[in-house]
Amino acid sequence: MTPGKIPGRGGSGSAPRSSSGRARLRILLALPAAAAAAAALVACSSAGASPSPASSPASSPASSPAAAAASTVKTATIAGVTVLTTNTGFTLYSFAPDTPTTSKCNGTCAQNWPPLKGPVTAAGVTGTFGTIKRSDGSVQATFGGHPLYTFAGDTAPGQNKGNGLNAAGGLWHEITTSGTAAPAPAGAASGSSGGVSGY
């Protein structure tokens, strides 16, 4: 009886085993297909998202037209001289020790003479606007090869208290539309801080 049960068990159990084996086989085959479908979904969603990262780097460089138009400067006549100002009317200055590629005004100097962030443009101004990279990695606007700054001592648009000052290791001049330094006013005191300490 026992020997008869073994073949009988094998015979009767073979159908359920083969159907369960087939079910397992189907599941095993379905798993890679599901994994492939999931991978395809991830690939599609990341491919769909890729234009956004690709477009951000295009807008961040200083050479991009969109970035160049983001900030503008204008002109104003102050004490009979036409000078460049910020879009809010604050006078822009150059620092004599600077070079066309390097700002020499850092630390406390940059707190008193905040660098103008670049890039910038100005309608109707003949001259070359550009940018330099500062020692802290930020981008500063230039005009005619002069890095541009505002002055903390100018508390209202139209003031030019920084023009002609000898401070922070060099002379400061407001920038004219020709890109040259404006003459220092007759009453400018050398070393005067214009009410701003820390020189």
Side-chain angles (χ1 to χ4, degrees):
M1 257 343 230
T2 307
K5 280 184 182 180
I6 293 170
R9 193 173 113 191
S12 64
S14 65
R17 271 190 187 173
S18 67
S19 64
S20 69
R22 284 185 195 140
R24 283 185 192 150
L25 183 60
R26 282 188 196 127
I27 290 171
L28 289 174
L29 290 175
L31 284 175
L41 271 174
V42 169
C44 287
S45 66
S46 67
S50 65
S52 147
S55 62
S56 0
S59 61
S60 54
S63 60
S64 137
S71 181
T72 58
V73 296
K74 59 184 188 177
T75 62
T77 301
I78 301 173
V81 179
T82 304
V83 298
L84 290 179
T85 69
T86 65
N87 60 358
T88 54
F90 284 87
T91 303
L92 292 172
Y93 297 91
S94 65
F95 186 39
D98 285 352
T99 71
T101 58
T102 307
S103 166
K104 304 289 186 178
C105 179
N106 298 291
T108 303
C109 174
Q111 291 171 8
N112 292 314
W113 301 86
L116 181 67
K117 291 182 180 178
V120 295
T121 59
V125 175
T126 306
T128 305
F129 286 95
T131 58
I132 60 168
K133 187 170 270 193
R134 294 180 54 77
S135 59
D136 63 2
S138 63
V139 176
Q140 182 175 1
T142 65
F143 179 67
H146 300 285
L148 299 175
Y149 306 83
T150 56
F151 179 45
D154 290 342
T155 54
Q159 296 180 346
N160 64 345
K161 296 177 184 176
N163 190 37
L165 289 183
N166 187 353
L171 283 171
W172 294 87
H173 292 284
E174 57 193 346
I175 291 283
T176 66
T177 52
S178 65
T180 60
S190 177
S192 165
S193 64
V196 178
S197 60
Y199 287 106

